[in-house]
Amino acid sequence: MLNAAKTQGDPVSLNEDNLWEVPNVFDRPRYLLDDVQTSIFHIGPSNFFRAHLAKMAHDIMNKASDNNEPLNMGIIGASLRSPTIKNDLMPQNGLYCLTTKGVGVEDHEIIGSVRKIICARENAQEMITAAADPSIKIITLTVTQKGYYIGKEGLDIDHQDIKNCLDPSNPELSTLGLLAHSLNYRRLNGIAPPVIVSCDNLPNNAAKLRTALAGYAVHVDPELPAWIANNVPFPTTMVDRITPSKSENHTAEIKALGVVDSNPVLTEPMPKIPFVIEDLSEREGPIGQVFRDSGIMKFADKEIGARLSPKVGAYEHMKVSVLNGAHMALGVVGHQMGYKYSHEAMKDRNVREFVSQFMDEVIATLEPLEGTDYNKFKAEVIYRLDNEFVCDPLTRLARNGVDKVGQRFLETGKKALSHNLPSDCVNFATAAWLQYTSKLTDDGYLPSQMPAVTRQREKGLDVDLPNDEKGGAMKFPALVRDNKNAMAVIFSETTIWGQMGTEPRFTERVEEHFKDIEDDHMPSALLNFVNRDKKDFDSSPGTPSVGMP
Amino acid sequence: MPESAQKKAQGNPMRLNAQNLGNIPSSIARPTYDRNALKCGIVHMSVGGFHRSHQALYIHDLMQKNPSDWMISGVGMLPSDSANVTAMNEQDVLYSILERTTNGDELKICGGIKEMHHAPANPMAVVERLMDPDVKILSLTITEKGYCYNQQGDLDLTNPNIKSDLESPENPKTAYGYIVNALARRRKAGMKPFTVMSCDNLPGNGHLTQKLVLQFATQISKELADWIKAEVSFPNCMVDRITPVTTPEIVDLIENEYGIQDKWPVVCEDYRQWVLEDKFCNGRPAFEEVGVQLVKDVEPYEKMKVRLLNGSHSALSYISYLMGYRRVDLAMADPLIAKFVRTYMDKDITPSVPDVPGIDLDKYKDKLIERFANKAIGDQVQRLAEDGSQKIPNAILPCIRYQLENGGSIKFAALALAGWFRYLSGVDETNELIEIKDPAKAKMQDRIKVEPKDPTGVLGLDEIFGDVGLNGKLIGAVRDALTSLHEKGAKKTLEEYLAGA
């Protein structure tokens, strides 16, 4: 017996043979791993993927096992560069622990849907063949925006990765090369096409992938782009589940609970709408057929969590404007209140009230969306912001404002103005962002962050640069700093404001709030703001937070 | 209007109807033929402003010259057509046409339509009407969306009305339901079929209509489809006359200036053109007597017209709307917009327009600009901006495809598309709501609103843009224009685009 010598209390090494010795605090797969057939090929097996798609595929198989249905949602993970995840998970037979923590929630589950992980660096051809295998019906991706190689004109043909990938003597495979070659293999060998599902957190993710792939495919075979266009479904998706990167504390915690897992995942409770997939099932011809036959519709089940919809953009818009909008509003306001983390700032009643009012304002501008109660979505956002286990730094929530303020604040502001709805929370949040921005260095960081950034750089490590693709935008902090009394100069930055910079109903209010924050500092300005509609509210100094209803 | 004083009606205005026809002022032309004695040889589906200013007037002219059994039986196809059908019937299917030029107006009473039916009220009565052996032509102005075709140019079998027409042929909703039902009955009864004549702005309208009718018929019976293919003609044609929506102001003007109470007059420019393929399986009116050009090959005329006129119309509408213009003539009076239209025509459209017999393209374009600028008709920008998803694939995308294949300019076409996408964001440059009418509005907005400056998502709608939407050059050019429209506004963008042109 392999584990005969093991004494009680010793942690169990996670693998298939030891699965039944895993302590009961961990939920285990209710299906037999040996019975699982793989039909999903996933490119980029990230932590997010393991908390999201792999968890849902796992749930589908648990349910299938209960109902004696085929266990065919197994996943082959494909890592293009780093072998780390393969080296971590393959000795564990693909098993890993997924920990879910939220306010009042703590679950640990052993996920069994990832049956194999391969690495392109080790064998690119094997990977192409695996992706083209007839048993693979669904190809999913979480490769981040960088993995799409989208340039100004569709495919970024000058990108070094693409050049490498197009060079037959160079075995370095890119996402697009893998997809194009495997699709061409299917085309030439009469193998039915897969559905290709981008699960990256990008608006119009499918269109971006499809466009870049069309640009690449023509170099593989001139006939390939038309074959892809006529045969391969690319549903747009919206994805949502905050999943922090690996933490050693979490690994130690799992070990203390009795399991040795070299790469566990910690995540928040599954949101109510974690996955929306564009419904292509009604399409005529091969696109509809492939979509219906792929098994992707199994994710669209109340118990699993995804939904099918023709309006993925509306869900994306809800997420960006309500959730991400609240993130940014909380980040810039909370930081100036002196807090460090999301859950800390949310304990402050004025911050909490502001975030709540902000979301009400956003929600009023949204068009109705079938099966979606925006107020429930809002309540869930507050629950998520309260989650101390996610431990989101406010500086992370506030970063890259130059790129994000348009979608997160200004679109809501425009919509509110066009419908004569209130938009003063957006104005206040914008003013707070400008104040926050004025404190940044030209590098886009707060001075307090600079020592850590410098240390990272000295070690030669990648620094998660704010606005790393927009060098010019970094001039903005200085512009704000130098023009605190000449807001017109700030608003003339059309790349940020567009036509909102000449909209007096917006600029005048932002300017007022900016001055209030400048003169009174955030705690007092915020207190006055959240109580702006209360007539008998005494805003004189010395009485903040006293006598609040 | 200097002449208006002369026209000013004497006494009480009079209702337009057959009885009063003899009493209207002699300066107003009216039918002098015996409308009751003439039979209907044509059934026309979707009687709107354009049909009444164009085909019905050609028929009227012919009846004046040479009365024959080619009167029109009009059909309102949509539930919302009910009021107009009633209005026409209450005035004995007479109506006035106000032709407006900068030199003055001319009013005439048109009698080319003899009767009006409302199809949704009694669909089978329309099928019965088509069984009259005197009916030899069925003509159509059902607009692009009435044809229910997909991006491949095939019949959209997922369209709910098409599904319904295939499932319940006794209750037709689409033109195909009526056409194929009536043709099947004619075939069964051993009657001659009627010619099906599309008068819509579609590329190869006759060919396309034939293909779609055959695809519909094939769903019912292969034999029927074969018979239609062998026996029914589908002539191609190019039609042209700018006909704005009839506003209440026009109704008032005709009453006040001419003393005629007409519930549904039509207003148009004085220009008109009809180039028609001479291909009729069951006879035709002597169209050549009234200025219709009968030709062997309509295609060059149609390409010239759809690309230059309809393409420019769409292009100018969005930019003009964003700049605050609601009337086409006022927009064209803005030198920036006029220059944009001409530059767009010259650089991005003209290379793909074939040689057209007897036409000097430069003069044709001059005339178009003059027609667009017609102050007297005051065409609506909103009318031109409607249904972009139906018009642009025919009017603008073929030119873009041609230019991409031949390395030509797409700069102004890209600006036209960007203007459309900016307009579809639903809020104008002063944050006022834009009311958008387009069957693909929801689908397009779903992709635009999440990423207003990036056209990749919306251009990826292959049912509208096909493979052109994946072209990197187009994506880049539209991205530039769209970003500029959002950041700098329409006026500044036009100035920059036209600076070197």
Side-chain angles (χ1 to χ4, degrees):
Chain A
M1 284 280 283
L2 198 65
N3 297 306
K6 193 173 69 67
T7 59
Q8 196 169 8
D10 273 357
V12 180
S13 289
L14 185 59
N15 62 44
E16 200 172 344
D17 293 332
N18 294 345
L19 195 52
W20 304 109
E21 293 171 44
V22 163
N24 284 334
V25 68
F26 295 88
D27 286 335
R28 286 173 294 239
R30 301 201 296 272
Y31 48 90
L32 283 175
L33 298 180
D34 284 347
D35 293 348
V36 172
Q37 309 283 317
T38 49
S39 69
I40 301 173
F41 186 92
H42 182 83
I43 309 173
S46 60
N47 277 11
F48 167 72
F49 152 76
R50 292 196 287 150
H52 189 258
L53 191 94
K55 157 69 177 159
M56 291 188 213
H58 171 82
D59 287 347
I60 292 171
M61 289 196 287
N62 269 341
K63 207 176 143 195
S65 171
D66 299 346
N67 298 329
N68 283 320
E69 285 164 8
L71 295 168
N72 54 9
M73 297 302 267
I75 302 170
I76 296 174
S79 180
L80 292 173
R81 301 271 182 274
S82 162
T84 307
I85 188 74
K86 178 192 167 184
N87 294 340
D88 283 350
L89 290 202
M90 284 312 280
Q92 303 180 179
N93 306 109
L95 297 170
Y96 62 94
C97 174
L98 179 68
T99 298
T100 300
K101 284 190 182 183
V103 180
V105 175
E106 179 171 337
D107 284 323
H108 305 276
E109 187 170 17
I110 307 298
I111 303 294
S113 55
V114 179
R115 298 316 315 126
K116 193 177 177 186
I117 294 189
I118 51 182
C119 179
R121 277 237 164 104
E122 293 171 1
N123 193 338
Q125 193 50 49
E126 177 198 45
M127 183 172 278
I128 290 166
T129 313
D133 193 275
S135 65
I136 296 298
K137 309 285 186 196
I138 303 172
I139 295 182
T140 52
L141 305 92
T142 49
V143 293
T144 78
Q145 179 151 18
K146 286 177 188 149
Y148 290 69
Y149 303 101
I150 283 274
K152 195 179 148 288
E153 299 189 339
L155 173 68
D156 181 4
I157 194 84
D158 298 325
H159 196 288
Q160 194 55 46
D161 290 357
I162 295 299
K163 284 185 180 164
N164 290 345
C165 195
L166 283 170
D167 174 0
S169 67
N170 191 319
E172 196 94 318
L173 205 55
S174 72
T175 326
L176 301 176
L178 169 58
L179 287 174
H181 286 287
S182 71
L183 290 173
N184 203 37
Y185 184 89
R186 287 187 190 237
R187 181 180 74 90
L188 296 173
N189 291 282
I191 302 169
V195 54
I196 297 184
V197 189
S198 160
C199 298
D200 278 297
N201 185 16
L202 296 171
N204 294 316
N205 50 15
K208 289 184 175 129
L209 178 60
R210 196 169 154 264
T211 301
L213 185 59
Y216 190 96
V218 73
H219 298 287
V220 173
D221 189 316
E223 312 261 315
L224 184 57
W227 185 85
I228 293 174
N230 294 328
N231 294 285
V232 184
F234 287 81
T236 307
T237 67
M238 193 271 323
V239 295
D240 189 14
R241 189 173 200 183
I242 295 170
T243 308
S245 46
K246 185 181 170 184
S247 107
E248 293 310 326
N249 288 346
H250 179 226
T251 309
E253 187 190 338
I254 297 300
K255 191 172 177 184
L257 288 171
V259 170
V260 177
D261 179 347
S262 54
N263 204 334
V265 181
L266 171 66
T267 184
E268 65 173 346
M270 190 71 96
K272 291 274 185 309
I273 311 175
F275 197 16
V276 184
I277 305 165
E278 184 183 11
D279 188 358
L280 301 178
S281 64
E282 298 280 307
R283 286 288 172 91
E284 285 179 87
I287 301 275
Q289 190 70 39
V290 170
F291 187 83
R292 290 189 297 272
D293 294 349
S294 67
I296 189 73
M297 291 165 85
K298 286 187 194 164
F299 286 89
D301 176 313
K302 266 213 164 106
E303 291 169 47
I304 306 304
R307 48 173 92 175
L308 290 173
S309 169
K311 289 184 157 187
V312 178
Y315 287 93
E316 184 73 29
H317 183 63
M318 170 180 79
K319 188 185 71 177
V320 170
S321 60
V322 183
L323 171 67
N324 299 140
H327 274 159
M328 189 146 146
L330 173 64
V332 294
V333 170
H335 183 267
Q336 291 173 78
M337 293 290 288
Y339 300 109
K340 202 169 171 198
Y341 295 106
S342 157
H343 63 277
E344 276 175 21
M346 286 297 283
K347 286 184 186 134
D348 181 303
R349 74 165 91 171
N350 291 328
V351 173
R352 194 178 189 82
E353 175 62 20
F354 174 70
V355 171
S356 169
Q357 288 181 11
F358 176 90
M359 284 192 280
D360 288 340
E361 209 172 75
V362 178
I363 286 169
T365 66
L366 300 180
E367 278 150 33
L369 186 54
E370 203 175 319
T372 305
D373 180 338
Y374 289 129
N375 288 315
K376 284 190 182 157
F377 185 77
K378 173 192 159 184
E380 185 183 80
V381 170
I382 290 177
Y383 174 83
R384 296 169 76 180
L385 295 174
D386 282 338
N387 189 350
E388 64 180 290
F389 304 104
V390 171
C391 208
D392 240 341
L394 295 167
T395 48
R396 193 189 78 85
L397 299 183
R399 74 182 176 179
N400 294 353
V402 167
D403 287 344
K404 291 179 172 168
V405 74
Q407 264 320 90
R408 294 185 177 183
F409 293 169
L410 304 187
E411 285 303 313
T412 297
K414 282 185 210 171
K415 195 81 188 290
L417 288 175
S418 71
H419 284 89
N420 294 314
L421 292 164
S423 58
D424 216 24
C425 289
V426 165
N427 301 335
F428 189 89
T430 306
W433 171 65
L434 286 174
Q435 283 288 355
Y436 179 87
T437 300
S438 75
K439 296 175 178 66
L440 299 177
T441 66
D442 291 350
D443 284 354
Y445 293 97
L446 291 165
S448 60
Q449 293 173 294
M450 283 314 288
V453 171
T454 310
R455 272 201 303 279
Q456 290 281 96
R457 283 181 180 154
E458 280 168 2
K459 285 189 209 158
L461 294 171
D462 268 354
V463 179
D464 196 5
L465 269 179
N467 304 302
D468 54 355
E469 284 167 32
K470 271 199 166 184
M474 295 297 34
K475 294 178 189 135
F476 193 63
L479 183 80
V480 180
R481 231 165 25 235
D482 298 344
N483 292 284
K484 284 192 171 184
N485 297 312
M487 295 289 278
V489 179
I490 296 172
F491 283 120
S492 67
E493 199 64 24
T494 54
T495 51
I496 294 170
W497 308 106
Q499 277 128 25
M500 282 296 260
T502 54
E503 168 61 82
R505 289 177 289 175
F506 171 72
T507 56
E508 286 170 12
R509 297 295 296 150
V510 172
E511 188 166 353
E512 282 171 39
H513 293 312
F514 186 88
K515 287 214 162 68
D516 288 345
I517 301 168
E518 179 84 17
D519 298 344
D520 303 347
H521 302 294
M522 185 57 86
S524 179
L526 183 67
L527 178 70
N528 288 336
F529 181 77
V530 297
N531 293 290
R532 64 199 177 286
D533 293 332
K534 299 194 177 82
K535 278 185 195 141
D536 53 356
F537 176 70
D538 180 0
S539 65
S540 61
T543 56
S545 80
V546 178
M548 290 238 330
Chain B
M1 237 168 292
E3 286 155 275
S4 62
Q6 300 161 15
K7 287 179 191 162
K8 196 93 187 164
Q10 305 292 314
N12 291 330
M14 107 184 41
R15 288 176 55 182
L16 178 61
N17 57 37
Q19 201 188 336
N20 288 340
L21 209 50
N23 302 327
I24 61 172
S26 56
S27 60
I28 299 169
R30 81 216 60 187
T32 54
Y33 46 95
D34 183 356
R35 294 173 75 228
N36 291 327
L38 299 172
K39 293 177 185 163
C40 291
I42 301 172
V43 170
H44 184 82
M45 290 192 155
S46 268
V47 175
F50 175 71
H51 170 71
R52 298 187 306 145
S53 76
H54 192 261
Q55 187 185 333
L57 180 60
Y58 280 102
I59 290 294
H60 167 87
D61 289 349
L62 184 62
M63 297 299 129
Q64 291 287 66
K65 210 171 167 180
N66 185 7
S68 50
D69 289 334
W70 286 108
M71 293 284 280
I72 297 168
S73 167
V75 181
M77 295 287 283
L78 304 172
S80 56
D81 290 334
S82 165
N84 287 333
V85 172
T86 306
M88 287 276 276
N89 279 325
E90 281 173 4
Q91 50 197 44
D92 302 321
V93 206
L94 291 165
Y95 62 94
S96 40
I97 297 177
L98 183 67
E99 292 178 352
R100 313 197 81 178
T101 70
T102 38
N103 298 322
D105 294 351
E106 188 182 332
L107 191 82
K108 57 181 81 165
I109 309 295
C110 179
I113 306 176
K114 187 179 177 184
E115 56 187 45
M116 279 296 293
H117 305 273
H118 189 226
N122 189 351
M124 286 320 281
V126 173
V127 176
E128 278 306 319
R129 193 69 193 82
L130 286 167
M131 292 305 289
D132 179 348
D134 291 325
V135 170
K136 292 167 179 167
I137 296 173
L138 179 134
S139 55
L140 301 159
T141 50
I142 54 179
T143 78
E144 290 89 337
K145 58 187 164 191
Y147 289 84
C148 311
Y149 60 100
N150 61 25
Q151 204 268 329
Q152 284 75 37
D154 292 320
L155 188 66
D156 179 6
L157 294 169
T158 64
N159 181 298
N161 288 336
I162 295 288
K163 279 186 181 168
S164 163
D165 278 7
L166 288 168
E167 280 159 20
S168 1
E170 71 293 346
N171 185 24
K173 291 189 168 80
T174 70
Y176 306 111
Y178 290 98
I179 294 171
V180 175
N181 199 328
L183 286 174
R185 288 177 184 219
R186 284 196 175 216
R187 176 181 172 235
K188 209 171 171 189
M191 289 167 65
K192 273 191 160 181
F194 43 75
T195 295
V196 178
M197 177 171 73
S198 162
C199 298
D200 281 295
N201 286 321
L202 301 165
N205 50 11
H207 288 137
L208 182 65
T209 306
Q210 179 184 40
K211 176 174 159 189
L212 297 168
V213 166
L214 291 176
Q215 287 178 347
F216 185 93
T218 304
Q219 296 289 318
I220 297 165
S221 123
K222 171 92 171 57
E223 291 73 29
L224 176 62
D226 288 345
W227 180 80
I228 293 174
K229 193 172 183 188
E231 302 294 330
V232 181
S233 351
F234 294 83
N236 291 297
C237 71
M238 178 272 260
V239 292
D240 190 7
R241 181 167 232 193
I242 294 175
T243 311
V245 177
T246 303
T247 59
E249 289 74 33
I250 294 296
V251 174
D252 291 347
L253 181 142
I254 288 172
E255 175 164 347
N256 296 332
E257 303 283 328
Y258 299 93
I260 294 176
Q261 286 179 332
D262 181 347
K263 287 186 175 154
W264 194 33
V266 60
V267 59
C268 56
E269 61 180 341
D270 60 337
Y271 182 92
R272 63 176 142 138
Q273 191 180 14
W274 192 1
V275 183
L276 178 59
E277 185 184 9
D278 194 357
K279 192 170 75 178
F280 290 81
C281 59
N282 194 1
R284 64 162 172 85
F287 283 127
E288 64 278 13
E289 291 185 20
V290 285
V292 179
Q293 292 165 258
L294 289 152
V295 300
K296 274 221 173 77
D297 185 8
V298 173
E299 193 181 314
Y301 295 91
E302 169 223 292
K303 279 191 171 154
M304 169 185 76
K305 187 265 175 177
V306 172
R307 292 178 184 190
L308 285 168
L309 186 149
N310 300 91
S312 312
H313 256 170
S314 290
L316 79 90
S317 68
Y318 303 110
I319 288 281
S320 301
Y321 192 99
L322 293 171
M323 287 171 72
Y325 295 110
R326 298 295 177 265
R327 270 176 51 187
V328 181
D329 56 311
L330 297 177
M332 290 298 289
D334 184 326
L336 266 181
I337 294 178
K339 190 175 177 194
F340 166 61
V341 172
R342 185 61 197 233
T343 313
Y344 171 49
M345 286 180 178
D346 289 344
K347 300 217 160 157
D348 290 15
I349 304 179
T350 306
S352 71
V353 173
D355 284 336
V356 188
I359 303 264
D360 176 335
L361 270 187
D362 272 323
K363 285 188 185 146
Y364 185 80
K365 287 186 273 189
D366 291 343
K367 180 73 184 167
L368 281 181
I369 303 265
E370 186 192 316
R371 291 168 64 196
F372 293 167
N374 184 336
K375 283 185 174 40
I377 71 163
D379 200 3
Q380 300 98 351
V381 170
Q382 189 71 311
R383 181 183 80 91
L384 307 187
E386 273 172 24
D387 292 345
S389 67
Q390 309 289 305
K391 295 170 178 171
I392 284 171
N394 294 331
I396 294 185
L397 298 187
C399 306
I400 293 178
R401 187 187 298 273
Y402 180 93
Q403 294 289 80
L404 287 171
E405 282 166 5
N406 293 280
S409 161
I410 54 161
K411 186 175 171 186
F412 299 94
L415 178 56
L417 293 185
W420 181 28
F421 300 158
R422 171 67 187 83
Y423 171 90
L424 281 168
S425 76
V427 174
D428 75 8
E429 295 191 349
T430 57
N431 296 313
E432 295 296 321
L433 211 58
I434 304 175
E435 196 196 326
I436 295 160
K437 285 190 192 162
D438 192 316
K441 172 185 164 179
K443 201 187 304 183
M444 297 187 74
Q445 286 191 331
D446 199 58
R447 294 186 173 210
I448 283 171
K449 285 191 173 175
V450 289
E451 248 181 335
K453 296 181 197 173
D454 186 345
T456 312
V458 69
L459 285 171
L461 283 168
D462 53 349
E463 58 270 50
I464 298 173
F465 297 98
D467 60 343
V468 177
L470 297 173
N471 184 285
K473 281 214 162 45
L474 180 67
I475 292 172
V478 177
R479 187 196 305 276
D480 285 344
L482 190 53
T483 303
S484 178
L485 287 174
H486 274 284
E487 294 181 357
K488 298 173 184 169
K491 184 165 184 287
K492 189 90 196 296
T493 301
L494 270 189
E495 283 168 0
E496 290 181 6
Y497 269 68
L498 294 168

